[in-house]
Amino acid sequence: MPEIALTPAPAHLRHGSNIGQPLTRRDGVLKVTGAASYAADNHPPGMLYAVLAVSSIARGRVTFLDVDAAKAHTGVVEVMTPANRPPLAQDPDEKTNPFMFRLDLLQNDRIRYANQPIAVVIAETLEAATEGAALLSLRYDTEPARVGLDATKSFVPPGVGVGNPSEVHRGDVEAGLAAASKHIEATYETAAQYHNPMEPHAIVAAWDGDTLSIDTPSQGLAIAQGRLAGLFGISPDNIHIRSPFLGGGFGCKGLISGPQVLGIMAARMAGKPVKLVLRREQMFGPVGHRAATRQTLRVGVDNDGKLTALDHRTKTTSSTFDDFFEPAADISHTLYASPAIATSHEAVRVDTGTPLFMRAPGEATGSIALESAIDEMAQACGMDPLGFRLKNYAEVEPISGKPFSSKALRDCYTQGAKRFGWERRPLAPRQMRDDDGLLVGWGLGTATFPALMFQAQAKAVLRQDGSGVMAIGAHEMGQGASTALAQIAADGLGLDIDQVEFRSGTSDLPDAGIAGGSAHTATAGMAIHNAGADVIARLADLATNDDRSALFGAGNAGVIARGGRLFVRDDESRSERYADILGRAGLTEIEGRGSSAADPAAQSAYAMHAHGAVFAEIKVDPDLGQMRVTRLVGAFAAGRIINPRMVRSQLFGGMIWGVSFALHEQAVMDQRSGRAMNANLGEYHIPVNADVPSLEAILVEEGDPHVNALGIKGVGEIGITGTAGAVANAVWHATGIRVRKFPITLDRLIDPVGA
Ligand code: MOS
């Protein structure tokens, strides 16, 4: 059984110290009792059900749809096809910025990937809509599907990720390799993965004239609002999105997807509210995925075991009709201090939906290859993998030459190693067995993720009854945002958390930016912090300018807020309740505003990243190749920790995904049809409880004075980096077999020729 040590949660807090407390989720009771309502739980009166008909081929044209048969089915109200769909104000194939992805909204009869929506059946019941979709009896003009990394001619993409250059180098890699006393070259492959949050994309859409109201999960409410405004030709102010809870997202709910828009179009067509929920297999196509990669690394070292060159080349896939390129090689920009580094990407176009951001896009794929290659280099040098990393990790970001804003990677290595017991690790592989004769292996991987910040706004209110409000359209994806952000809000308002009404999760509130890039706590948190400071400053103005106040003459800078009172900083005997200040001014409430954005000066001066080290133990059956991770210890330095319970939970989630990356997860593509053969949660393997080992996440202390005023770095994605490599390296240490194709499956340990 996994041993997850839970920190006891205080029911109440000391005033002014909400940040740092391991509070339990504020929405926990709602969730475990089923009272939390997710998008698909909404049933407005008169609501109809929409079901997608999707293509079973990956490339070609639709030649026949039996609309009459579907419409004749009892309960079917309407069948939406390219022939009759409502007009849009914008071509769904238009692309005016790199964050805008092309959508399939029944614009024509072309099929560009399997599971592409080609019609929507609207009916009085889910059953009737489902049966209606089956009765469409689709026929196709099929063209051969192009599948996999060698399907078409490769090219250098114009950019990777979001606007990163495809090719970057510093120093002369060829010279560094030529001068190396030892070098390795190895090629690794990672499989395509599909985001599968427990809650699939779902929408309940209702039109009232030109006003649109929707319930749908979103990681980026304002961006979704803007995209929908463009597509439907209405003002963003006429679009009201409610997204109080997401059942996970992992990037696939960052931007509004085609199926969600189809739900809105169906409601337009039907003139009634419509619900549309993706079936699990429909998640494998129109809502993004992590593309497969093939990565070749060349690494050289000198006689002292110091890196002389690091070359990281990636090949990946994108769709035939849009551009997203997994930036896998970019991980090599930041971790290891090689005097020569080169990274490059090439891509092929295949008949799939467009890949997209998926938890640590680039970092996750790149990290498993880089950490494997670093391990192979250490092995070639006869060095301990930890010792090798301690010798070679970067003190200054090698590709940019910038110092890190702060970095506690060495502490992560040493604290993690100590806790794990790494010093007892034999250097050679295949040396350890447990009492049952299973091979035991220990592996290490380095974790890193950039500390990003986007832009956000928040509104703060203090009321005369002693309570406060913080309003921001933040996103509760299950990660604990509504708890951690409420903690920041309470401290910002100088109140106990129970006195603060935290409003979030709708597009009518101030824009919280996107809950992505592990940047939500920093981005929304700083807007909240600044809104709190603004309202407190306004309140202090009232008091310090009023000769009836105990704070008269103290000046803004001389006032602190705590426990619903303002105090003179140097003389805490002089204080006054918020309620009394407001009351005397004849106000029932006072309002403040705050915003946040990355500081360009700090960003140009420093490289900003979180860091970590993950240690893995695996047991392998020597006869059957069966593998089970038995222990994971991760040590992470991610700036200020707002809520250690939520942070550990995020890190565990990432680490479990790392196990999944190394051993379980892959979309198996049918080379003939271009369909994923395992588009369901039975055959698309992810770790279940029995696959999850004892987990420990050490929160290494780190104060970063540059990243933002609160020192927050974010933890949503770093856990997946490092862990996958640690598990792969543990497999080698257990068996002596280096598997370079992920996920590592047991056949490769039985028949290493195939590895
Ligand atoms: Mo994440 S892939 O930044 O939602």
Side-chain angles (χ1 to χ4, degrees), residues 404-613:
F404 291 102
S405 54
S406 81
K407 184 173 59 126
L409 179 54
R410 175 169 285 273
D411 295 340
C412 297
Y413 283 135
T414 52
Q415 289 182 33
K418 183 154 184 267
R419 182 74 197 169
F420 187 82
W422 184 262
E423 80 283 353
R424 300 194 307 275
R425 178 185 181 274
L427 189 58
R430 229 183 154 88
Q431 300 298 304
M432 298 193 292
R433 299 233 180 195
D434 75 356
D435 292 345
D436 299 325
L438 297 177
L439 293 163
V440 179
W442 288 357
L444 165 60
T446 310
T448 191
F449 197 80
L452 305 172
M453 253 184 95
F454 307 116
Q455 293 181 12
Q457 282 101 45
K459 185 177 107 173
V461 177
L462 289 171
R463 299 189 187 119
Q464 213 222 320
D465 65 5
S467 67
V469 181
M470 188 63 73
I472 182 164
H475 309 91
E476 176 52 69
M477 298 164 68
Q479 84 281 47
S482 59
T483 305
L485 295 176
Q487 289 176 259
I488 298 172
D491 278 7
L493 294 171
L495 293 173
D496 186 283
I497 195 164
D498 296 329
Q499 297 169 293
V500 177
E501 185 189 327
F502 183 73
R503 293 188 190 146
S504 66
T506 80
S507 65
D508 301 335
L509 297 170
D511 177 13
I514 192 165
S518 301
H520 199 38
T521 312
T523 304
M526 278 306 303
I528 289 167
H529 175 76
N530 292 334
D534 186 51
V535 76
I536 294 295
R538 288 168 195 275
L539 187 70
D541 269 345
L542 292 179
T544 56
N545 292 318
D546 182 344
D547 60 12
R548 292 167 295 174
S549 169
L551 287 88
F552 179 64
N556 268 352
V559 170
I560 53 175
R562 195 176 64 229
R565 299 182 81 88
L566 295 184
F567 296 84
V568 175
R569 192 184 295 275
D570 304 328
D571 178 7
E572 295 208 1
S573 70
R574 289 173 61 195
S575 80
E576 194 170 28
R577 295 196 315 144
Y578 298 172
D580 294 333
I581 301 168
L582 288 171
R584 207 173 40 238
L587 296 173
T588 54
E589 60 177 48
I590 188 167
E591 186 181 307
R593 300 264 170 178
S595 65
S596 65
D599 169 8
Q603 284 197 312
S604 65
Y606 297 100
M608 299 176 176
H609 299 270
H611 291 92

Side-chain angles (χ1 to χ4, degrees), residues 17 59 72 88 93 139 269 288 347 364 406 430 436 500 571 584 586 615 689 700 747:
S17 61
R59 183 181 170 209
L88 292 168
D93 277 315
R139 276 186 239 145
M269 186 167 196
S406 81
R430 229 183 154 88
D436 299 325
V500 177
D571 178 7
R584 207 173 40 238
F615 298 79
N689 274 349
V700 174
D747 51 306

Side-chain angles (χ1 to χ4, degrees), residues 178-381:
S181 63
K182 285 196 183 64
H183 74 272
I184 59 149
E185 171 169 347
T187 297
Y188 307 89
E189 285 194 22
T190 64
Q193 301 178 351
Y194 281 77
H195 319 71
N196 269 288
M198 234 191 310
E199 177 202 35
H201 293 67
I203 189 163
V204 175
W207 287 92
D208 179 3
D210 265 350
T211 298
L212 172 64
S213 141
I214 56 180
D215 296 281
T216 200
S218 171
Q219 293 174 241
L221 287 161
I223 298 175
Q225 209 180 21
R227 181 70 159 123
L228 293 173
L231 284 167
F232 291 99
I234 57 178
S235 159
D237 297 338
N238 283 5
I239 300 172
H240 307 283
I241 311 177
R242 290 178 296 268
S243 180
F245 305 106
L246 290 82
F250 313 120
C252 69
K253 294 168 183 166
L255 302 166
I256 200 101
S257 68
Q260 287 163 296
V261 181
L262 287 169
I264 299 168
M265 290 163 65
R268 182 70 129 183
M269 186 167 196
K272 286 189 177 173
V274 163
K275 178 191 293 193
L276 189 152
V277 181
L278 284 193
R279 292 168 58 100
R280 183 57 64 184
E281 69 269 22
Q282 294 172 345
M283 295 292 289
F284 291 72
V287 293
H289 66 284
R290 192 197 298 283
T293 71
R294 181 183 297 145
Q295 305 176 54
T296 298
L297 280 101
R298 294 186 298 159
V299 186
V301 293
D302 64 16
N303 283 324
D304 293 332
K306 293 277 267 185
L307 292 176
T308 59
L310 172 59
D311 180 38
H312 191 160
R313 281 176 282 154
T314 291
K315 189 174 187 184
T316 187
T317 63
S318 195
S319 71
T320 56
F321 57 94
D322 211 343
D323 291 335
F324 181 87
F325 303 98
E326 178 84 358
D330 290 358
I331 189 83
S332 287
H333 293 170
T334 188
L335 271 180
Y336 296 103
S338 173
I341 294 177
T343 60
S344 61
H345 298 84
E346 61 179 319
V348 299
R349 297 207 179 272
V350 295
D351 297 308
T352 63
T354 306
L356 201 63
F357 320 98
M358 180 160 159
R359 201 171 194 172
E363 289 85 3
T365 35
S367 150
I368 195 168
L370 175 62
E371 288 305 300
S372 294
I374 290 293
D375 225 65
E376 294 204 46
M377 192 71 253
Q379 177 194 334
C381 296

